[in-house]
Amino acid sequence: MNDINPTPAQVREKIRQGIITGQTAGMCSGYAQANLCVLPREYAYDFLLFAQRNPAPCPILEVSDPGDRLLHTIAKNADVATDFPKYRIYIDGVMTEEVTDASFFWREDLVSFLIGCSFSFEGELLAAGIPVRHIEEGRNVPMFLTNIPCQPAGIFHGNMVVSMRPMPADQVVRAVNATAAMPKVHGAPVHIGDPAGIGIADIHCPDFGDAVTVYPGEVPVFWPCGVTPQAAVMAAKPSFAITHAPGHMLITDIPNTALKY
Amino acid sequence: MNDINPTPAQVREKIRQGIITGQTAGMCSGYAQANLCVLPREYAYDFLLFAQRNPAPCPILEVSDPGDRLLHTIAKNADVATDFPKYRIYIDGVMTEEVTDASFFWREDLVSFLIGCSFSFEGELLAAGIPVRHIEEGRNVPMFLTNIPCQPAGIFHGNMVVSMRPMPADQVVRAVNATAAMPKVHGAPVHIGDPAGIGIADIHCPDFGDAVTVYPGEVPVFWPCGVTPQAAVMAAKPSFAITHAPGHMLITDIPNTALKY
């Protein structure tokens, strides 16, 4: 295999073998990465409906059939239970452990939801000549809980979580256009400017991820975030759930550009 | 009320009262219209998943909670059981009757799926200066069963049904761009040109709707069609289903332009 530019399938193989167990940020540049939420079939309709009603924070890329560990659309023959570098196991809404292989926890009634990730549109931002601050500073993107309510569905409800990227005012329009074309990976910003406008008290104290530098005169731009459905799932306390560990995503076969309308 | 330019709510009221029972084509110009598929809760997950896996022919605009007749998003306080001019009742996949009020058939376990309609993007085509042949000729759009398989989901499966609009070659690119921006109402064409390429034997013999004139040198352009999910539902023969009668849609409060990305 080509160790300089391995294919997504080659990287998934190394992850499956436990050779790669770290974060996937920057791996297989140009290919979309996916978040994971695995739930028993009894919760699958409510979760799929929650995603349908809140597509911006919860863009579904693929849904497996109950018990089927293999993916068929976004990552040919990827194994949901082994091809993420790290997983979190939740029982009754409480995380019980982190594992690098979820095979031991697999059940025939589990449905896997693969969810679009902002890594994809960050590639678009960089391609549009818009620097991404948390990448520049080598940190995780800052994320905030807002006062924007999601549309509830069955047992799932909660407010939207957003990710924030600061930029000079003259880059905002390009950032909106670049990301609006990618609704399957959160799409356009949900808010631009005053953090208080969406219930954020302190732009320097994110609820998740790391704080980043916001230079004087820069505008904070807020995008719907994939942590939203994870927060809704945890709040609903399902009897069992598996998610990817933060930053440890699935590398798909889908080029980011293929996610554009 | 204003009889010259009634609002969607005013027209829905007249439909609810049985004053309007005909087709809705052309009513409340500029507002999106929606197709309907009502199924018992036991089939709702399979249908929602079918829509998620086949978003082009099956773009979901709103899904009701089980038993809830009122819509909350696309048409405030619209009553699913009375605000379509005409319904079709299906038992075990067979149409048993057409009614103008579905209240008598309502059950507490019914889930309503409101589906995007090509009327919306036809408005965009006309706005882009692209004449729509079946409108010019006062006919229903010609629809064809293709050899393009839908991704199955549970009990639902089948090939894609497409609608066809012929146009001069120099209008095709504009037609693609105008409709690609509206994925919630079927989006971009699925095929351009040779009907045989998607398994259509005779462009002059549609499987549904009416034939339209195709002038020499014109290119047939094919879009995913909302008849696809209806055909999939009928093929699956659920114990009970309600759909709108062809052409008798719900007039929503959503301006077509609001459906654009």
Side-chain angles (χ1 to χ4, degrees):
Chain A
M1 69 180 271
N2 174 347
D3 285 325
I4 312 302
N5 293 307
T7 65
Q10 289 170 327
V11 174
R12 292 198 298 268
E13 178 61 28
K14 283 193 168 185
I15 289 170
R16 189 176 309 152
Q17 295 169 1
I19 298 168
I20 296 175
T21 59
Q23 299 211 7
T24 51
M27 286 188 186
C28 293
S29 170
Y31 288 92
Q33 298 194 15
N35 297 332
L36 177 67
C37 183
V38 180
L39 291 166
R41 170 67 178 83
E42 67 185 287
Y43 305 109
Y45 178 69
D46 284 357
F47 188 77
L48 187 57
L49 185 58
F50 184 82
Q52 189 279 328
R53 289 176 174 174
N54 303 282
C58 195
I60 300 284
L61 297 179
E62 182 168 353
V63 182
S64 74
D65 289 322
D68 187 358
R69 281 169 52 164
L70 291 186
L71 297 180
H72 306 285
T73 303
I74 63 171
K76 198 111 188 69
N77 297 322
D79 184 335
V80 171
T82 60
D83 292 5
F84 288 72
K86 196 176 291 179
Y87 301 84
R88 287 183 167 181
I89 310 300
Y90 291 83
I91 296 177
D92 297 328
V94 178
M95 188 182 84
T96 56
E97 57 193 301
E98 280 197 339
V99 295
T100 58
D101 183 332
S103 303
F104 174 80
F105 298 92
W106 199 258
R107 307 175 353 185
E108 283 312 300
D109 67 336
L110 294 182
V111 176
S112 301
F113 296 89
L114 287 300
I115 300 167
C117 163
S118 59
F119 283 9
S120 296
F121 75 64
E122 288 178 346
E124 282 301 294
L125 291 175
L126 295 171
I130 300 169
V132 178
R133 184 64 38 80
H134 66 273
I135 294 177
E136 290 180 325
E137 298 184 339
R139 300 178 188 166
N140 190 0
V141 65
M143 293 165 275
F144 301 86
L145 190 56
T146 71
N147 60 10
I148 303 168
C150 292
Q151 282 196 62
I155 65 169
F156 299 111
H157 57 83
N159 287 355
M160 189 185 297
V161 175
V162 296
S163 59
M164 187 281 290
R165 294 162 188 80
M167 61 190 72
D170 65 2
Q171 294 178 350
V172 173
V173 170
R174 256 183 306 144
V176 169
N177 286 327
T179 55
M182 306 182 80
K184 290 178 184 170
V185 285
H186 302 307
V190 63
H191 183 66
I192 296 168
D194 183 13
I198 53 175
I200 297 172
D202 184 348
I203 199 70
H204 304 292
C205 297
D207 297 297
F208 313 94
D210 307 322
V212 297
T213 309
V214 180
Y215 293 109
E218 286 193 324
V219 179
V221 183
F222 302 89
W223 276 268
C225 176
V227 169
T228 307
Q230 285 201 16
V233 166
M234 295 314 110
K237 302 195 185 313
S239 57
F240 183 77
I242 302 173
T243 70
H244 67 289
H248 298 70
M249 261 80 86
L250 176 77
I251 298 170
T252 77
D253 299 331
I254 310 292
N256 290 328
T257 51
L259 292 174
K260 283 196 207 172
Y261 274 113
Chain B
M1 66 182 271
N2 174 347
D3 285 326
I4 314 302
N5 293 307
T7 66
Q10 289 170 328
V11 173
R12 292 197 300 268
E13 177 61 28
K14 282 193 169 186
I15 290 171
R16 189 177 309 149
Q17 294 170 359
I19 297 167
I20 296 175
T21 59
Q23 299 211 8
T24 51
M27 287 188 184
C28 293
S29 170
Y31 288 93
Q33 299 195 15
N35 296 333
L36 177 68
C37 183
V38 180
L39 290 167
R41 171 66 179 83
E42 66 184 288
Y43 305 109
Y45 178 68
D46 284 356
F47 188 76
L48 186 57
L49 186 57
F50 184 81
Q52 188 279 329
R53 289 176 175 174
N54 303 280
C58 196
I60 301 284
L61 297 179
E62 182 168 353
V63 182
S64 74
D65 290 321
D68 187 359
R69 282 169 51 164
L70 291 186
L71 297 180
H72 306 284
T73 304
I74 63 172
K76 199 111 188 68
N77 296 322
D79 184 335
V80 170
T82 61
D83 292 5
F84 288 72
K86 196 176 292 179
Y87 302 85
R88 287 183 167 181
I89 309 299
Y90 291 82
I91 296 176
D92 298 329
V94 178
M95 188 181 84
T96 57
E97 57 193 299
E98 281 196 337
V99 295
T100 58
D101 183 332
S103 303
F104 175 80
F105 298 91
W106 199 258
R107 308 176 352 186
E108 283 314 299
D109 67 337
L110 295 182
V111 176
S112 301
F113 296 89
L114 287 300
I115 301 167
C117 163
S118 60
F119 283 9
S120 296
F121 75 64
E122 288 178 347
E124 282 301 294
L125 291 175
L126 294 171
I130 300 170
V132 178
R133 185 63 40 79
H134 66 272
I135 294 175
E136 289 180 324
E137 299 184 339
R139 301 177 188 167
N140 190 0
V141 67
M143 292 165 275
F144 301 86
L145 191 56
T146 71
N147 61 9
I148 304 168
C150 292
Q151 282 195 63
I155 66 170
F156 299 111
H157 58 84
N159 287 353
M160 189 186 295
V161 175
V162 296
S163 59
M164 187 280 291
R165 295 162 187 79
M167 61 190 69
D170 65 2
Q171 294 179 349
V172 173
V173 169
R174 255 185 305 146
V176 169
N177 286 328
T179 54
M182 307 182 80
K184 290 179 184 172
V185 284
H186 302 309
V190 62
H191 183 67
I192 296 168
D194 183 13
I198 53 175
I200 296 171
D202 184 348
I203 198 71
H204 303 293
C205 297
D207 297 297
F208 313 94
D210 306 323
V212 298
T213 309
V214 181
Y215 294 109
E218 284 193 325
V219 179
V221 183
F222 302 90
W223 277 269
C225 176
V227 169
T228 307
Q230 285 202 14
V233 166
M234 294 314 111
K237 302 198 184 312
S239 57
F240 183 76
I242 303 173
T243 71
H244 68 288
H248 299 68
M249 261 78 87
L250 176 78
I251 298 170
T252 77
D253 298 331
I254 311 293
N256 290 328
T257 51
L259 293 174
K260 282 195 207 174
Y261 274 112

